[in-house]
Structure formats: structure tokens, C-alpha cells
Amino acid sequence: MDNYLEKIEKYLKALSSSERIDIVKEIKSAMLELQNTGLTTEQIIERLGNPKELAKAYLGDAISKNSKFSWRKLAAVFAFCSSFAGAIGMFVLPIISTLSIALMISGVITPIGGIIKFVGHLMGYDITGITIQIGAFTPSPMQFLPTSIVIGVLLFLLGKVLWRLTIKYIHAISQKKKTL
């Protein structure tokens, strides 16, 4: 039993130690209950299945509990990808999670660039390194700030949508629920 629980804990490394300990305690408790019903250790392990698959369900569940972004959750997403998501997930999950972060950061930086360009214009400077061009449209210095705010909001919202899709995808992958 201890070997099985050690494997579970190993696969849950991306989680915080308190989450990992709680999960291992829950599984150990369930194993002891099953043992009290007369099942042997081998029967219990057979019933629980592959420790990697069980850890996958717990990790996916922990990641998908809420859709808020955190750097620790991003690390757990990448651990989930490399350990559990399969060939497609190893490409899809890192791409959409990284893209979501890049879009959210761009959504914050774009209005800052708009403010810098606008203040520069008010002070009589033309900051040529900061530009926006959408097809043939290039905003005038007075249009630059509102345009950068709108683009920033759209980029940030798109990033949040992709982050939520990442979490939903992980939840869908980890639907092999714990059968304790």
C-alpha cells in the first residue's frame, strides 16, 4: 500500500504539499476502509487501478476547481500535460495555456503603450516605436489611447477565455473519476 501511495504522491508533485498530503490521506483512508471490509491489498490496488490514472483524476480535479489564473496552477497544467494528457494534450494544453498568458499580459501592456504615446504627443514628442496598425488604419495620436484601451481589453478577455478553455480541457481529460 505504501508503495502505491508513494507513486500517487510522486505524480502529484505539481500540487502544493498540503493538497498532496490531503489527497494521499484521502486515498489511504479509503484503502483502510476497503481493507476493513476484508479485501486484500492486491484487491484494493486492483480496484483503485493504475496510480498514474488515479493521480491524473485528482490533479485534473485540483486544477479545474476554479478557473482563476495563478503561476502555481500554470505549473500544474504543464505537469498535467507532460504526465497525463497524451500526445495531443502535450501540444494543445501548453499552446493554449501559454497563449492565454501572453494575451492577458499583452492586454495590460497595450493600454500602457497607449498612455505613453498619448502623453508623449501632449508633450510634443512623437514616439515612433509605439504604433498600432490594423490593415490600412493607423490611429492618429488622439485616437491612439482609446484604440489601445479597446485592443487591450479585447486581448485580455481573449486570454481569459483561453485560460478557461485550458481548465475545461483538463477537466474533460481527467473525467476518469476516483472510484473509491
Side-chain angles (χ1 to χ4, degrees):
M1 259 192 333
D2 289 335
N3 186 29
Y4 187 87
L5 293 170
E6 286 173 13
K7 287 179 182 177
I8 294 280
E9 189 168 4
K10 182 184 100 175
Y11 291 124
L12 297 174
K13 274 191 300 193
L15 296 177
S16 69
S17 60
S18 63
E19 287 177 300
R20 207 170 43 245
I21 289 168
D22 287 345
I23 291 169
V24 170
K25 280 182 182 178
E26 180 181 328
I27 295 170
K28 185 174 184 173
S29 173
M31 291 174 100
L32 291 173
E33 283 180 31
L34 290 171
Q35 200 171 38
N36 288 337
T37 64
L39 294 177
T40 66
T41 302
E42 292 77 25
Q43 290 171 321
I44 293 169
I45 290 173
E46 185 179 318
R47 182 171 178 181
L48 293 176
N50 184 327
K52 189 174 185 178
E53 290 297 317
L54 185 58
K56 169 183 158 181
Y58 275 100
L59 184 58
D61 198 40
I63 292 169
S64 63
K65 275 186 181 172
N66 69 42
S67 61
K68 292 188 179 181
F69 172 79
S70 73
W71 293 106
R72 178 174 278 295
K73 188 177 269 193
L74 179 65
V77 167
F78 279 100
F80 187 87
C81 296
S82 63
S83 299
F84 306 115
I88 292 175
M90 286 179 61
F91 295 107
V92 172
L93 282 173
I95 289 170
I96 63 174
S97 60
T98 304
L99 185 59
S100 70
I101 295 161
L103 287 170
M104 286 189 280
I105 291 170
S106 297
V108 172
I109 291 174
T110 302
I112 292 170
I115 292 168
I116 293 170
K117 178 90 170 185
F118 183 71
V119 169
H121 172 71
L122 293 177
M123 296 175 72
Y125 297 107
D126 182 24
I127 303 172
T128 57
I130 300 175
T131 61
I132 294 176
Q133 185 169 355
I134 304 168
F137 173 71
T138 303
S140 69
M142 295 305 286
Q143 297 170 326
F144 201 88
L145 181 59
T147 303
S148 68
I149 291 171
V150 168
I151 291 171
V153 167
L154 291 174
L155 289 172
F156 189 81
L157 291 175
L158 183 58
K160 285 195 70 109
V161 166
L162 282 177
W163 181 252
R164 286 194 177 123
L165 283 173
T166 301
I167 300 303
K168 285 183 187 240
Y169 186 69
I170 289 171
H171 185 69
I173 289 173
S174 66
Q175 281 304 300
K176 284 190 177 176
K177 281 298 192 188
K178 306 160 279 239
T179 55
L180 298 178

